[in-house]
Structures are given as C-alpha cells and as structure tokens.
Amino acid sequence: MATERPLKIAIVAGEESGDLLGADIVEALKRVTGREVRLVGIGGRHLQALGLTPLFDGGEIALMGLSAILRDLPRLMRRISQTAGAVANEKPDCLITIDSPDFSLRVAKKVRAADPAIPIVHYVCPSVWAWRPGRAVAMKPYVDHILSILPFEVRELARLGGPTGTYVGHRLTHDPGVLGAAKAQSLPRDLSDDRVKTLLVLPGSRRGEVRRLAGPFGKTISILRARGHRLRLLLPTVPHVADLVRASVASWDEKPEIIVDPERKWQAFGKADAALIASGTVSLELALSGVPMISCYRLDPVMRMAQRLITVWSASLPNLIADRPIVPESYNEYVRPHYLARQLEALFSDTPYRAWQKDGFAEVARRMAVDRPSGEIAAGVVMRCIKGANRE
C-alpha cells in the first residue's frame, strides 16, 4: 500500500471547527489507507500543518448570519468561482466541503458542473431539519454523500429526499476537555442554598450575540444578587470577541472572571453549578459535560424577518438529539431577566428541574455514541466514494 500513488484531496473549510474536522479526516485517511495525502483548497492552521497551502485565508468565508453574508456577497461570489475553478483544475480524487454551506455548497455545485467525475462529500449536514428543507433535495445532484455529526440528521435527509448520509459521531463526545469536565461534574457536589453558586455566563462567540445578550444577562445576575444569592461568575470566551466582552460587562453589578484559555474553559465547566448561555454549539458542550443550563437567543433584524421559515420545534441541540425538551429556551422579547433568574434558581438546588436536565444529558450522550473514532468512519465513507467513482 505504501507504494501506491498519493491521494489528492481537495478540501474547503472556513471555520475553525471545520478546519479541525478536516484535519481529523485527513489524518484518518493516512492511517486507513497507508498512503500520502496531498491537499488543495482552503483551510486554517490545522490543515496547513498537514501540508495544505490555502488558496486564500479561510477566515474570509467564516461568515455567520444572513446579514453578514448579504454584506459580503460580491466578494464571496468571486471567491466561490476562484475556489471551484482551482479545484476542478487539480482533478482531485475527492472534494470534501466542510460546513459553511452558503459558500462550500456553491463551490461543490460549480465543481460538479465543471467535472462530474469528481466525487463530492460534504461534512456537517446543513440544518435542513430546521429551516429551508428544500435544500436537501437541491443538494442531491452535486453532493454524493453527507457526513453528519448529529444522529437524527441521517433520518431527516432521507425523509426530505436529500443525499445519502452517514452519522460519523461528534468530536465533542471524545474531546478530552469535555470528558474532564464531565468527570468533575459527576463528583458529589454541595447544593445547599447558602453556598456560593458558580454560574457560567456564555453570551456568545459572535459580536452580534454579545451585544444583544450582555445587557439582559447582566440584569439577570443583578436580580439573583438582590434575591440573596452569592455568585462566582465565570465567563469563557474566544479571543476575537474578548475585548467586546470586557467592555460589555464593565457595567455589571458583579464582574465575571473572563477566561480565554481553552484549558481553563473546561475547568470552569467542571466547577459550574449552572450556565446562562447564548444558544449554539455550546449547549451540546455543556450537555455532554453535564452542566444544567438556560439557553437564550436574540435574532438579528434580518433573521427576525426570516423567522417564519424556521420549521424545527427547538433550537437547542440537546433537545433535538434527545427528542424531548431538556434545556429551556428564551428568544427575542422573551429573554426576560426576572424569568431567567428564577429558572437559574431552580437549577442551583437539588430540584426535579435539575434532575430532569441531568437525566436528559445522559440520553444525549447515549444517542451520540459511536463505535469508532469519527475521523475513521468519515475516512471510510470518502474512500468508498472514491472507489465508486473509479478514481483510485
């Protein structure tokens, strides 16, 4: 096997999370095949460490929210054409597009039109189960297979008539930080009323989220203090919004300890009694860590107008995976500090409310379990697609 020609893999990954997934699958391809893997396309530091020279900075396509996409549409369209042309010219054994569907799936469509013989695998199912379900059918002509990171998505793709999907598992289920936090959460814990409660505050990793939620979160904390609670506030964040977070919490009655270091973030997860969060992937991190939480979101003006297109019954990933309400959610005008404070009080103590969440988190972990590493399962799918296209 070692004497076989190298595999040439085209990859498109903009977000940091996508870059990690891409690196994971490339390393697994090397292990599974015993072959060298040569990379072309777009990716961040993890893929670059494996030999990728990106066409341009992947941060350019790491846009979230309809408003941001509309603002940058002309530049994005140029980058889409540039990327698709470069991939088609390289004639890779497979194109793997990762997340960022508004960019990467447009690249996939153009590559399929330019060279129908190139197999195309998309990693991270677009949220067709949440809104715009017609995207599932639309993907089928130019996506050969979807690698799903949520267990219910394969069923939803089939129901909606989309491409074939495989659940490969989620990296969080075997992340050392999550596992360490979960172990800490499983230890006996003082839940007496008069203790100092450790509250995680997570107002989001995007600037708009922080601006919309920092105010109500600060008021919630003031109400908890006024109701007699002694609090220790821990606020893990990411470097690109850390300065905004510091400015946003400067007026709070109680100042949180702002944490940027990833290792200290997981330590904070292990210590927390409860969390007040912006809805997003962090809800899954907390669920797998065993931290009870309240989830909030305030949509930007453009997304508010598109709100009627949302078809899913919950926006909380733990709820969707367990297929029952576990995490309470407050949205838009219902992000009310007096209500949030009382919900958090019910999670601070040994209540049925807290036990309900803990039991739900165990169900989430059970449903997400896989028998092999995610990258290895994903690599197997990619190789089957390559063999099916007779490109070995």
Side-chain angles (χ1 to χ4, degrees):
M1 291 261 289
T3 59
E4 292 184 77
R5 69 169 180 82
L7 283 170
K8 182 186 285 188
I9 300 295
I11 203 156
V12 176
E15 295 277 354
E16 169 80 2
S17 58
D19 186 52
L20 280 165
L21 291 174
D24 190 38
I25 197 171
V26 170
E27 289 174 333
L29 281 169
K30 291 178 178 179
R31 290 195 306 271
V32 168
T33 66
R35 294 161 68 176
E36 180 186 351
V37 177
R38 294 182 181 171
L39 301 174
V40 297
I42 304 163
R45 57 193 175 94
H46 303 285
L47 284 166
Q48 289 172 36
L50 295 174
L52 175 67
T53 300
L55 298 169
F56 52 86
D57 182 358
E60 290 190 34
I61 63 173
L63 296 175
M64 297 300 297
L66 190 55
S67 301
I69 290 167
L70 290 174
R71 281 196 304 271
D72 274 359
L73 192 57
R75 181 181 57 79
L76 285 173
M77 296 308 294
R78 288 195 299 273
R79 289 302 199 191
I80 288 165
S81 295
Q82 175 192 355
T83 305
V87 169
N89 288 339
E90 288 284 349
K91 298 191 179 300
D93 294 298
C94 186
L95 165 62
I96 304 171
T97 54
I98 305 178
D99 211 357
S100 304
D102 292 298
F103 184 91
S104 62
L105 290 178
R106 285 179 169 85
V107 170
K109 189 173 184 179
K110 284 181 174 289
V111 169
R112 176 53 50 90
D115 188 345
I118 298 173
I120 299 175
V121 174
H122 185 70
Y123 202 164
V124 182
C125 181
S127 51
V128 293
W129 37 268
W131 73 308
R132 292 167 57 199
R135 290 177 296 168
V137 172
M139 286 188 290
K140 198 164 186 178
Y142 57 88
V143 174
D144 299 304
H145 207 103
I146 288 184
L147 304 174
S148 166
I149 63 172
L150 299 173
F152 61 84
E153 290 175 324
V154 173
R155 179 183 69 248
E156 288 298 296
L157 283 169
R159 181 180 69 84
L160 295 169
T164 301
T166 296
Y167 173 57
V168 300
H170 198 294
R171 66 176 182 83
L172 287 174
T173 60
H174 52 265
D175 183 280
V178 172
L179 296 175
K183 183 177 181 181
Q185 283 289 335
S186 70
L187 299 175
R189 181 175 293 265
D190 177 11
L191 294 175
S192 59
D193 288 339
D194 60 352
R195 77 189 190 284
V196 175
K197 287 92 171 178
T198 300
L199 177 64
L200 279 178
V201 185
L202 295 150
S205 59
R206 298 168 192 134
R207 302 182 72 83
E209 290 175 331
V210 174
R211 291 190 183 102
R212 289 187 287 271
L213 290 175
F217 281 12
K219 290 177 184 176
T220 300
I221 290 157
S222 295
I223 293 164
L224 286 169
R225 290 184 69 203
R227 290 172 67 85
H229 296 280
R230 293 183 298 144
L231 301 171
R232 180 189 181 192
L233 304 179
L234 302 177
L235 198 162
T237 189
V238 288
H240 68 271
V241 295
D243 287 342
L244 175 62
V245 166
R246 291 187 184 96
S248 300
V249 305
S251 61
W252 287 11
D253 291 343
E254 179 129 358
K255 305 299 186 293
E257 179 183 343
I258 295 173
I259 298 167
V260 180
D261 178 66
E263 185 174 338
R264 291 187 59 223
K265 165 189 167 177
W266 298 119
Q267 292 170 358
F269 276 38
K271 294 173 183 174
D273 293 311
L276 178 62
I277 73 166
S279 178
T281 304
V282 71
S283 67
L284 189 54
E285 294 179 345
L286 290 164
L288 293 172
S289 298
V291 183
M293 73 191 94
I294 307 296
S295 178
C296 304
Y297 207 77
R298 281 183 165 176
L299 298 171
D300 68 38
V302 174
M303 283 304 297
R304 281 196 182 221
M305 290 188 289
Q307 193 171 0
R308 62 184 178 82
L309 301 175
I310 298 172
T311 59
V312 74
W313 67 270
S314 171
S316 170
L317 290 176
N319 293 352
L320 294 172
I321 293 166
D323 197 29
R324 64 179 172 93
I326 299 170
V327 178
E329 304 171 272
S330 295
Y331 286 85
N332 297 331
E333 63 269 24
Y334 296 103
V335 179
R336 297 177 177 175
H338 283 279
Y339 181 58
L340 299 177
R342 286 160 175 82
Q343 285 187 309
L344 286 169
E345 283 180 334
L347 293 178
F348 284 149
S349 302
D350 188 14
T351 59
Y353 195 45
R354 182 182 177 91
W356 173 264
Q357 282 205 20
K358 288 280 194 175
D359 180 69
F361 297 159
E363 176 66 10
V364 169
R366 186 188 69 77
R367 293 192 177 203
M368 294 189 70
V370 289
D371 59 358
R372 288 180 291 150
S374 302
E376 187 177 315
I377 299 171
V381 171
V382 169
M383 290 309 300
R384 287 197 295 274
C385 288
I386 291 172
K387 289 176 182 177
N390 295 313
R391 296 181 71 89
E392 276 212 300

